[in-house]
Amino acid sequence: MDVEYAKKQYRAVGITAFVIAVALLVMRIVSYYVQVATMDVAMDKAWFELILDAVFTVPVQIGILLIFPFLMYKLSLKKSARSVLEFSGFRKCSIWTCLLCIPLGILVVGISLCLSFIWQIVLILFGYTHSSGGSTLPEQFNALYFILSVFLTAVLPAICEEFANRGGLLTVMRSSYSKKKTILLIAIAFGLFHQFIGQVFYTAAFGALLAYLVLETQSIYPAMIVHFMNNFVSVYLDNATTYNWVVGGGFYDFLDNSLVNNLGVLTSWLALILLGVFGLLMAITSISRKKRQKDFYLELNTSYKAAGYKVELKDNIFFIGAIVVCAVSTLVTYIFGL
């Protein structure tokens, strides 16, 4: 094992993470001022918000989170396109595992909503108030609007955010640290990566779950499926609530009523969801371990250790820089209620 190449690989991912953190911060600042400058534009509010979202989301997701790290790994580490994908977790996965990830992604929505609700209460207790409301939907359901929303909110993040967060980043973390520490680091990174105090808690938990899936299945595809389903269901529920759809239209009303009038029912539902999530994770883990011919991440970690590879402080400079940028940005959203 080439220890120098391992260090070079670790530093390349660190530089990538730092550039992404700074680029995201710049894009958020630009997006904020663009929104302020265009508040009085005479156009349908729902469509205008979607256009603004696309102007920010498309370059961020495709350019910053997908193309940039891909080129960085390929050029700086002299990898072929196939090697970059292998390095980033694009490996075969059992079809049964992929199918089980569909209901897992749906159930995770319930956990995310619960964690988000708890986190909002904590923030309110500490004086945080969010200055802006939620997104606006057209007065009547529009299929094109729905498809574009799914593309921006579910498809792009499932591919691009996973590539940036559970791709090369996860690989170098696992090559250098234990499995538990890797999951913890990826969770913290994903929570802060959103640079928004309102999302940092439940996204960190979500990031931990996805990191576990990738390490167990040896593939990034399950994480992409769960990520897509989680975001897709959120978009669907927003539409179902707005347009009173039969399936899902009363979901948020059920949550509100249960919180006020019947907390026991809500607790029972959450317990069932947790059991479902746990059961699906155990099933996925069992299938993956039975079909696994080798543990790619464990072998990488073992070979690096055997070769005397050890991460030094200077190797972590850019990672620390990325965390600081994201943490400061997140803190700013808390202080100013952004």
Side-chain angles (χ1 to χ4, degrees):
M1 176 58 62
D2 189 338
V3 174
E4 288 306 312
Y5 184 76
K7 285 184 174 292
K8 183 179 180 180
Q9 193 166 255
Y10 189 90
R11 292 170 185 169
V13 175
I15 293 171
T16 302
F18 178 73
V19 173
I20 287 176
V22 173
L24 288 177
L25 176 57
V26 171
M27 289 296 289
R28 287 185 182 281
I29 293 172
V30 171
S31 175
Y32 173 76
Y33 283 106
V34 168
Q35 289 181 46
V36 171
T38 56
M39 286 178 64
D40 299 323
V41 172
M43 182 179 176
D44 181 82
K45 186 178 180 182
W47 279 100
F48 183 67
E49 286 183 356
L50 186 68
I51 291 171
L52 280 182
D53 185 27
V55 169
F56 172 74
T57 299
V58 172
V60 165
Q61 295 286 346
I62 298 178
I64 297 173
L65 300 180
L66 184 63
I67 295 177
F68 170 68
F70 180 87
L71 292 177
M72 184 69 177
Y73 301 155
K74 187 178 190 305
L75 299 177
S76 67
L77 299 174
K78 295 180 173 58
K79 291 179 177 288
S80 65
R82 184 174 181 177
S83 295
V84 171
L85 294 177
E86 172 84 9
F87 174 67
S88 301
F90 287 83
R91 290 179 288 275
K92 291 181 180 180
C93 181
S94 165
I95 184 64
W96 291 109
T97 293
C98 292
L99 290 174
L100 287 174
C101 284
I102 295 174
L104 177 61
I106 295 173
L107 290 179
V108 165
V109 175
I111 308 300
S112 296
L113 286 173
C114 180
L115 293 178
S116 177
F117 176 74
I118 294 171
W119 183 239
Q120 294 304 317
I121 292 177
V122 172
L123 290 177
I124 290 171
L125 291 175
F126 281 90
Y128 173 76
T129 53
H130 190 9
S131 60
S132 61
S135 59
T136 304
L137 293 177
E139 290 185 9
Q140 294 184 336
F141 175 73
N142 185 294
L144 177 59
Y145 187 97
F146 179 76
I147 292 170
L148 290 174
S149 297
V150 169
F151 177 73
L152 294 173
T153 306
V155 176
L156 287 183
I159 297 172
C160 305
E161 290 182 13
E162 287 311 306
F163 184 82
N165 290 278
R166 257 73 57 180
L169 177 61
L170 182 142
T171 299
V172 297
M173 288 295 109
R174 184 64 184 100
S175 70
S176 310
Y177 305 108
S178 67
K179 183 177 179 180
K180 290 181 179 179
K181 190 170 184 179
T182 296
I183 292 174
L184 176 62
L185 290 172
I186 294 297
I188 293 172
F190 193 58
L192 291 176
F193 153 86
H194 289 80
Q195 298 184 12
F196 175 45
I197 191 65
Q199 292 181 310
V200 69
F201 181 61
Y202 73 87
T203 53
F206 189 51
L209 170 68
L210 297 179
Y212 173 83
L213 274 177
V214 175
L215 292 175
E216 282 298 324
T217 63
Q218 307 288 293
S219 172
I220 199 172
Y221 294 121
M224 286 182 169
I225 295 170
V226 171
H227 199 151
F228 169 80
M229 291 306 303
N230 177 80
N231 291 17
F232 170 79
V233 171
S234 296
V235 174
Y236 177 87
L237 288 175
D238 286 343
N239 280 264
T241 301
T242 301
Y243 305 117
N244 295 315
W245 290 350
V246 175
V247 180
F251 180 74
Y252 290 125
D253 287 337
F254 164 75
L255 289 182
D256 292 338
N257 291 332
S258 297
L259 283 170
V260 176
N261 302 315
N262 202 335
L263 193 58
V265 172
L266 182 61
T267 303
S268 299
W269 274 105
L270 285 174
L272 288 174
I273 290 173
L274 282 170
L275 284 173
V277 169
F278 181 77
L280 287 169
L281 284 175
M282 292 303 97
I284 290 170
T285 300
S286 177
I287 292 171
S288 300
R289 290 182 179 179
K290 285 179 180 179
K291 291 183 175 293
R292 184 186 299 168
Q293 296 179 345
K294 66 176 183 177
D295 190 322
F296 172 83
Y297 298 104
L298 179 59
E299 287 188 3
L300 197 62
N301 179 274
T302 303
S303 61
Y304 280 177
K305 283 184 176 180
Y309 168 73
K310 186 177 181 180
V311 177
E312 300 173 355
L313 178 60
K314 61 182 179 181
D315 299 321
N316 277 318
I317 293 299
F318 285 103
F319 282 119
I320 294 171
I323 291 295
V324 169
V325 168
C326 290
V328 170
S329 178
T330 301
L331 185 60
V332 168
T333 66
Y334 168 72
I335 294 173
F336 294 100
L338 300 174

